[in-house]
């Protein structure tokens, strides 16, 4: 079985960093999630960047619905696989 990877899309870096901190407490994520800046196509302004939090889930134990609701608390969402 292949590893599952969840990608949470957040509106800004502050929200993404808070999500990374909270993931361990709320979901028991042991591995440090990866934080990635995703500049929107054609945009040079740093303010127009979304931030991605990539969560490795090798045992497929995280609930995608719960992750989506969690991201929504930070005005984000779970990217569909």
């Amino acid at each position: 079985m292949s590893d599952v990877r969840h990608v949470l899309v957040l509106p800004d870096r502050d929200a993404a960093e808070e999500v990374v901190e909270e993931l361990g407490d709320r979901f028991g994520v042991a591995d440090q999630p990866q934080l990635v800046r995703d500049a929107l196509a054609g945009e040079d302004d740093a303010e127009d960047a979304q931030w991605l939090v990539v969560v490795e889930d090798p045992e497929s134990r995280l609930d995608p619905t719960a992750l989506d609701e969690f991201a929504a608390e930070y005005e984000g969402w779970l990217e569909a696989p």
Side-chain angles (χ1 to χ4, degrees), residues 26-76:
R26 196 177 305 194
F27 293 97
V29 172
D31 295 333
Q32 179 73 13
Q34 186 179 0
L35 199 59
V36 181
R37 182 177 177 272
D38 183 33
L40 300 176
E43 296 292 339
D44 293 328
D45 189 353
E47 297 303 311
D48 291 325
Q50 294 174 326
W51 285 81
L52 308 179
V53 176
V54 180
V55 184
E56 300 294 337
D57 185 17
E59 282 112 39
S60 299
R61 60 179 189 78
L62 298 174
D63 177 9
T65 303
L67 286 172
D68 189 44
E69 291 169 357
F70 171 62
E73 294 174 25
Y74 295 90
E75 299 180 12

